[in-house]
Amino acid sequence: MIADKMRPLVENNSAIRAMFEEGKKMAAEYGRENVYDFSLGNPNVPAPPAVNQAILDIIREEETTYVHGYMSNAGFEDARAAVAQSLNRRFGTHFHLENILMTVGAAGGMNVILKTILDPGDEVLVFAPYFMEYGSYVRNYEGVLVVVPPDTDTFQPDLKEFEKRITPKTKAVIINTPNNPAGVVYSAETLRRIAAILLEKEETLGTQILLISDEPYRELAYDGVEVPYVTPFYHNTVVCYSYSKSLSLPGERIGYLVIPQEVEDSRKVIAAAAIATRVLGCVNAPSLMQRVIVRCVDEQVNLEAYNRNRELLYSSLREYGFDCIKPEGAFYLFVKAPVDDKEFCQACKKHRVLLVPGTSFACPGYVRIAYCVSYEQIERALPAFQKIAEEYGLTEKRGKVQ
Ligand code: PLP
């Protein structure tokens, strides 16, 4: 019965599911506290208290037929205005509510913008390592994913390889900074160089190329590192944002798209994106969460909790001899595997440590450790990481880490 196009997705999904099920089985056998699951990017820091308070206040104070009712496909006007004003305050931009479209998280936003712009055969460039769902999102609209290979010295985008892959069929480029899984942040200089390449290609090819900045981790940046706002760098930029991580609300499915007026044909793009939201079946972003955003637009989770995890895990793994760069943002550590990454993940499972192979992010030879877990889980897992390092002789080779 199921479509041929769905078959590979189902097979791939069962591999991920098998890992999840294995984690549950291991927890039943050894006790939850003895299984060190670093596989999922599910925030463990609670939503700010103001978010829960806002939910209670909204139900008490606002007209419930309004709160629970249908609305414009782009979302409540006051929610869109609150987002625009917050961005303008923080980044010196000049957005109006018309430039904001409320979405069903970043996944919803990415699908809406890709549906809005892609014709069959259009190419979308991504920089490896990348969030694996991009491939499915692009294929949803019969686009073709083109992967720029990773620069594993820095995990910054390899711009020479990028330039080579831009063709007359290139319709969009996806960037993700702070990055899942590498934890790197793109500097203003990197964004300037990406913009210069795109402008030059638009000119010589006579095409329009949309830069899609997928930024669910924008607020998760450490040591005061700047995460430059992308729209001022390049006219054809759309931002896809999510509150899944910044407010720890992944299950509530709330985010937004920014479509600035500088985007070619912006009015048509904005109108088409609202229709895409409807015809994809989202209809609109969850209404209660939009009401929450009106009240909590500048709230943030406790970043220090993630920072503590980052410092402990990074310094400990480094001490044991693991090779990785220090993440500047998001909540992942991307570590060099001493052997094939899938084999390494299997070996780690024997120590009840669950990781994701870099192959899942188009970057074999590395593994991702999600440190959005409790500090205590990291403390409990450290002896296992140390044993693994010893098993692979990493401890003797220590000192290679940047
Ligand atoms: N983009 C990236 C890079 C992500 O890591 C994730 C989730 O982990 C998403 C998009 C999807 O986020 P959301 O829960 O807002 O749909």
Side-chain angles (χ1 to χ4, degrees):
M1 176 62 89
I2 69 166
D4 290 343
K5 277 190 188 167
M6 276 305 293
R7 288 185 207 285
L9 291 177
V10 173
E11 274 151 33
N12 187 36
N13 189 48
S14 49
I16 296 165
R17 197 150 186 97
M19 182 172 175
F20 180 68
E21 293 301 333
E22 202 164 330
K24 279 207 307 200
K25 242 192 259 162
M26 283 166 75
E29 193 173 340
Y30 303 109
R32 261 185 66 166
E33 67 288 0
N34 299 314
V35 178
Y36 316 119
D37 190 346
F38 295 96
S39 63
L40 291 181
N42 203 8
N44 77 310
V45 173
V51 167
N52 291 340
Q53 190 57 50
I55 294 171
L56 297 173
D57 293 345
I58 290 161
I59 297 303
R60 260 198 306 265
E61 295 164 14
E62 298 190 22
E63 174 61 57
T64 53
T65 50
Y66 178 67
V67 174
H68 300 314
Y70 282 127
M71 70 199 73
S72 305
N73 300 129
F76 286 121
E77 295 198 342
D78 56 352
R80 296 160 67 202
V83 169
Q85 284 155 16
S86 167
L87 293 174
N88 295 344
R89 262 197 314 273
R90 295 165 60 207
F91 304 115
T93 48
H94 303 284
F95 302 130
H96 301 283
L97 70 93
E98 290 80 13
N99 302 114
I100 310 296
L101 185 135
M102 304 307 289
T103 63
V104 180
M110 291 297 289
N111 274 278
V112 164
I113 194 62
L114 291 170
K115 179 160 182 72
T116 302
I117 62 161
L118 288 185
D119 281 313
D122 282 347
E123 294 173 357
V124 179
L125 269 68
V126 291
F127 295 94
Y130 65 88
F131 177 56
M132 61 191 124
E133 296 289 84
Y134 293 154
S136 303
Y137 299 165
V138 168
R139 283 186 291 273
N140 279 345
Y141 312 104
E142 295 176 61
V144 177
L145 194 79
V146 177
V147 180
V148 181
D151 170 355
T152 53
D153 288 335
T154 63
F155 288 105
Q156 291 287 335
D158 185 332
L159 298 182
K160 279 206 181 105
E161 294 296 329
F162 169 54
E163 195 167 357
K164 276 193 234 164
R165 283 166 177 75
I166 299 175
T167 74
K169 287 191 162 181
T170 304
K171 193 67 186 278
V173 176
I174 300 173
I175 57 172
N176 168 225
T177 164
N179 183 261
N180 172 13
V184 295
V185 173
Y186 294 3
S187 66
E189 181 51 24
T190 300
L191 295 173
R192 255 192 293 279
R193 290 173 61 203
I194 291 175
I197 291 169
L198 290 175
L199 282 172
E200 199 264 331
K201 289 288 180 186
E202 282 193 332
E203 177 87 29
T204 54
L205 297 172
T207 55
Q208 297 288 327
I209 305 173
L210 189 68
L211 181 62
I212 303 173
S213 181
D214 178 32
E215 16 189 275
Y217 302 97
R218 162 163 289 282
E219 266 64 64
L220 275 54
Y222 310 104
D223 297 334
V225 68
E226 190 204 355
V227 185
Y229 207 71
V230 183
T231 57
F233 289 86
Y234 176 63
H235 67 126
N236 275 331
T237 300
V238 163
V239 174
C240 178
Y241 185 84
S242 166
Y243 293 98
S244 291
K245 321 287 173 172
S246 61
L247 291 182
S248 286
L249 295 173
E252 301 293 354
R253 316 304 306 134
I254 184 73
Y256 59 80
L257 281 172
V258 185
I259 305 174
Q261 62 210 28
E262 290 78 9
V263 167
E264 179 79 10
D265 270 346
S266 71
R267 276 178 187 278
K268 283 188 188 159
V269 177
I270 290 166
I275 293 166
T277 303
R278 189 177 80 230
V279 300
L280 280 173
C282 303
V283 182
N284 56 253
S287 57
L288 181 57
M289 286 304 121
Q290 291 192 50
R291 306 303 319 138
V292 169
I293 296 310
V294 173
R295 295 175 185 233
C296 300
V297 73
D298 291 323
E299 288 289 334
Q300 236 186 296
V301 288
N302 174 12
L303 194 59
E304 191 41 38
Y306 291 133
N307 192 32
R308 266 180 92 211
N309 288 359
R310 177 183 77 123
E311 293 290 354
L312 175 64
L313 196 59
Y314 174 73
S315 61
S316 305
L317 293 193
R318 198 187 145 112
E319 189 190 317
Y320 305 154
F322 284 99
D323 188 352
C324 65
I325 56 168
K326 189 170 187 180
E328 297 177 296
F331 40 49
Y332 307 106
L333 215 60
F334 206 48
V335 179
K336 194 164 172 50
V339 290
D340 170 81
D341 54 320
K342 287 187 188 152
E343 182 189 327
F344 185 62
C345 287
Q346 287 302 330
C348 289
K349 264 189 211 162
K350 293 196 193 110
H351 295 269
R352 304 197 289 270
V353 172
L354 304 183
L355 310 176
V356 181
T359 301
S360 301
F361 306 94
C363 192
Y366 289 80
V367 292
R368 189 190 76 172
I369 306 178
Y371 59 82
C372 47
V373 297
S374 71
Y375 191 76
E376 293 69 31
Q377 175 176 320
I378 298 174
E379 284 183 317
R380 282 197 307 273
L382 288 182
F385 278 114
Q386 189 163 16
K387 271 195 210 136
I388 294 165
E390 283 164 9
E391 223 169 87
Y392 287 96
L394 301 180
T395 317
E396 299 94 80
K397 293 185 211 148
R398 196 177 358 201
K400 227 190 127 213
V401 188
Q402 291 174 33

